[in-house]
Amino acid sequence: MTAKEFMFGYNTKLTSLGNTFLPNWIYFDKVGLIDRMYDFDSDYETFYTGRNDPSLSGLYATYRGNTDLPNWPEKHCSNIETASDGSKFRSFIKPNDTLKFFRKSMCRPIHLVRADTDIVTKCGLEGYRYRFEDNAFDNGRYNMKNKCFCRKGYCQPIGLLDVTDCYYGFPISLSLPHFMDSDPGLRMNITGLQPDKEKHSSEFIIQPQSGLPLSLTAKVQINLHFKNMRAFRQLQAFSYQTIPTLWFDITMPQLPDHMNILFSMYLNVLPYVEPIVFWSCSIIGFTLVFYAITRATLRMSNLGHSTHISDGNRYGKANLLNSQNGVYKSCEMKQIVGKEKSRLLPDETYGHSNVNDEYCEKEESNRTRSYILDLEPTLSASDCGSNIGSSSNDEGNDSDTATMTISRNSSSSSCMGMQVSNKSNDHNNDDVEKQTIISFTSSSGYDTSVTES
């Protein structure tokens, strides 16, 4: 038998008979350790997606429908929930966190602890270094919780793990290579064993944010552990002996190039690009909102101004022109300027203004009349009907009177009656007094009159 046949399978008559007559139990036609370790035909697992907790994505939820392995009695030894199969560990790892690792070939979950406080860099990515916990195979000698690894009450020496139930009843035990960290008695009858922590220790470099393994090496030794073999003449010499057969190394020295480039961008570049893009988009968004609000405000303001002018067109042209002329007339402005200069520089002499006082008084009278007209909307011929009557007496009458009456058909609007009277009296044939009386009567209930002499 060669080492390859021992590991990957060889044909035997017993296996062939069992496969022929007991196919439900012995469904394979050859026997080999690695061949049986990596037989996944009857295996099925479920993994967390990270929907409720992103840190658990890619970790075991169940194995063959259960969270516990059937060959160990207590949860400390059997529970594989949230364990990693080595392809992805828990995300957002804190420096002192303990991780859980499970492989079918090991037949148990095992805890990983931080080996040191150093930060290891692999291909531009930083990670923490983890190793198997101390006394992981002590079977309860130092850690009483590991007492559950004793199969059917029988505890093997420190450093051995009984996995008989996982390998079809073969007396197989697992240990670290060269019985490292094991009972020294295991090496007494075996020559050539030289345990070395640098060569035989398992190591995991894990990126803490993503849980991505940057490199890993898991080293386990397979042994045949014999009890009393006196019933077998050819095997009597191996009674109560543990025979190492081989040790293997599940290793990944580094990430593939395409994955290294991808995760370098995710973990090294995007954390710096993300805030730049976020604040740039925020500034652009606020600028566009401010621009939209400002433009809408100006548009509404212009619309309101246009509406105000449109409403003002309902009033008379004289009123509109008067509002555009400003507060002071030209003659008033000249008088104000002259008075202000006299107040500031009383010693200076200024020439008399050419403004005609009578003209200013006349302007003031016109402003008063214009103000009165502002109080009422402009009347149009279509709104009010008009009756105009006039009478005059040229011979010997002392007064001339003209009367104009404007009435409006609509009861909802106010129309005014206007009466104009001109009177002239001769007084000693020298003084002539001329009086004009304009009276307004509004249907809204007020009377206004203006008298000019």
Side-chain angles (χ1 to χ4, degrees):
M1 181 190 302
T2 64
K4 182 178 180 180
E5 290 176 339
F6 178 75
M7 294 301 298
F8 293 96
Y10 59 95
N11 295 319
T12 64
K13 293 181 179 180
L14 183 62
T15 305
S16 298
L17 289 174
N19 180 254
T20 302
F21 295 102
L22 300 171
N24 292 331
W25 182 41
I26 303 176
Y27 53 88
F28 47 89
D29 57 357
K30 60 182 180 179
V31 178
L33 290 180
I34 298 298
D35 179 68
R36 293 298 89 210
M37 283 182 184
Y38 290 94
D39 175 26
F40 300 111
D41 291 341
S42 60
D43 291 351
Y44 57 94
E45 303 93 356
T46 58
F47 294 86
Y48 285 105
T49 61
R51 179 178 180 181
N52 297 325
D53 187 354
S55 66
L56 300 181
S57 62
L59 303 184
Y60 272 105
T62 63
Y63 176 72
R64 291 185 177 179
N66 295 302
T67 58
D68 299 302
L69 300 175
N71 48 300
W72 309 117
E74 297 180 13
K75 282 189 173 296
H76 174 74
C77 298
S78 64
N79 187 267
I80 54 88
E81 189 177 13
T82 70
S84 169
D85 64 351
S87 60
K88 195 267 180 189
F89 291 86
R90 187 170 73 243
S91 304
F92 311 113
I93 302 172
K94 297 179 181 179
N96 296 324
D97 283 350
T98 299
L99 307 180
K100 190 185 292 187
F101 177 68
F102 169 71
R103 295 288 295 185
K104 176 186 175 181
S105 58
M106 296 185 67
C107 197
R108 60 159 287 184
I110 190 169
H111 291 91
L112 307 179
V113 295
R114 185 90 178 268
D116 49 45
T117 58
D118 296 339
I119 296 178
V120 183
T121 302
K122 285 279 188 179
C123 299
L125 297 174
E126 296 181 347
Y128 297 157
R129 180 184 286 110
Y130 283 84
R131 290 178 178 172
F132 292 151
E133 64 179 346
D134 294 336
N135 302 315
F137 299 94
D138 73 341
N139 296 322
R141 174 72 65 87
Y142 302 105
N143 185 359
M144 292 303 298
K145 291 182 178 180
N146 290 338
K147 195 77 174 177
C148 54
F149 288 119
C150 296
R151 178 175 175 267
K152 296 180 180 180
Y154 172 72
C155 295
Q156 294 186 358
I158 297 173
L160 296 180
L161 176 67
D162 192 348
V163 293
T164 301
D165 294 333
C166 295
Y167 291 97
Y168 310 99
F170 291 105
I172 296 176
S173 296
L174 301 181
S175 69
L176 298 179
H178 289 243
F179 292 127
M180 186 177 66
D181 297 333
S182 301
D183 190 335
L186 296 173
R187 297 191 294 269
M188 290 180 60
N189 298 323
I190 308 296
T191 59
L193 297 180
Q194 297 178 352
D196 187 342
K197 286 187 177 296
E198 293 295 329
K199 295 180 180 180
H200 303 137
S201 295
S202 298
E203 183 179 88
F204 303 79
I205 307 298
I206 303 172
Q207 208 283 329
Q209 281 76 30
S210 63
L212 181 72
L214 305 181
S215 70
L216 62 85
T217 172
K219 301 171 182 178
V220 178
Q221 179 173 291
I222 299 176
N223 311 284
L224 293 175
H225 181 75
F226 297 107
K227 295 181 181 178
N228 188 355
M229 302 299 295
R230 293 178 181 177
F232 303 93
R233 181 178 179 182
Q234 296 178 344
L235 300 176
Q236 288 181 359
F238 297 101
S239 295
Y240 303 103
Q241 296 289 328
T242 301
I243 309 301
T245 57
L246 59 92
W247 67 272
F248 60 90
D249 181 6
I250 302 174
T251 183
M252 182 189 73
Q254 65 181 29
L255 288 174
D257 291 339
H258 69 281
M259 291 187 65
N260 185 71
I261 294 173
L262 184 64
F263 280 95
S264 294
M265 180 176 294
Y266 286 160
L267 300 173
N268 295 337
V269 178
L270 290 184
Y272 296 98
V273 174
E274 181 182 6
I276 295 175
V277 173
F278 172 79
W279 287 111
S280 299
C281 293
S282 299
I283 292 172
I284 293 173
F286 284 127
T287 302
L288 293 176
V289 170
F290 178 77
Y291 172 75
I293 293 175
T294 303
R295 185 169 182 179
T297 303
L298 293 176
R299 186 177 181 86
M300 293 177 65
S301 177
N302 293 335
L303 182 62
H305 181 67
S306 301
T307 305
H308 176 70
I309 294 176
S310 177
D311 292 341
N313 290 334
R314 295 188 303 127
Y315 298 95
K317 184 182 293 184
N319 299 336
L320 182 60
L321 292 174
N322 181 64
S323 63
Q324 293 177 347
N325 288 336
V327 178
Y328 298 104
K329 299 298 181 180
S330 60
C331 61
E332 295 174 332
M333 289 299 298
K334 292 179 180 180
Q335 290 178 350
I336 291 173
V337 171
K339 291 179 180 180
E340 188 66 19
K341 288 181 178 180
S342 299
R343 185 180 66 81
L344 296 176
L345 301 173
D347 296 336
E348 298 291 336
T349 303
Y350 294 93
H352 182 69
S353 175
N354 295 326
V355 180
N356 192 334
D357 293 340
E358 294 181 358
Y359 173 75
C360 288
E361 292 178 0
K362 189 174 181 180
E363 286 291 325
E364 182 65 24
S365 177
N366 291 337
R367 288 187 62 194
T368 303
R369 297 174 185 175
S370 177
Y371 172 74
I372 294 171
L373 292 176
D374 285 342
L375 298 177
E376 288 292 336
T378 302
L379 302 177
S380 62
S382 62
D383 293 334
C384 295
S386 62
N387 294 319
I388 302 175
S390 63
S391 62
S392 63
N393 188 355
D394 296 332
E395 296 179 358
N397 291 335
D398 295 336
S399 63
D400 294 334
T401 302
T403 303
M404 179 175 64
T405 303
I406 301 174
S407 61
R408 191 168 187 174
N409 295 329
S410 175
S411 61
S412 61
S413 302
S414 62
C415 294
M416 297 182 296
M418 180 175 68
Q419 183 176 3
V420 181
S421 299
N422 294 325
K423 295 181 181 181
S424 62
N425 295 320
D426 294 334
H427 183 66
N428 295 327
N429 295 324
D430 295 327
D431 298 328
V432 178
E433 181 181 6
K434 187 175 181 181
Q435 186 178 30
T436 301
I437 300 174
I438 302 175
S439 62
F440 300 91
T441 302
S442 172
S443 61
S444 59
Y446 61 84
D447 296 333
T448 305
S449 64
V450 178
T451 302
E452 180 180 356
S453 298

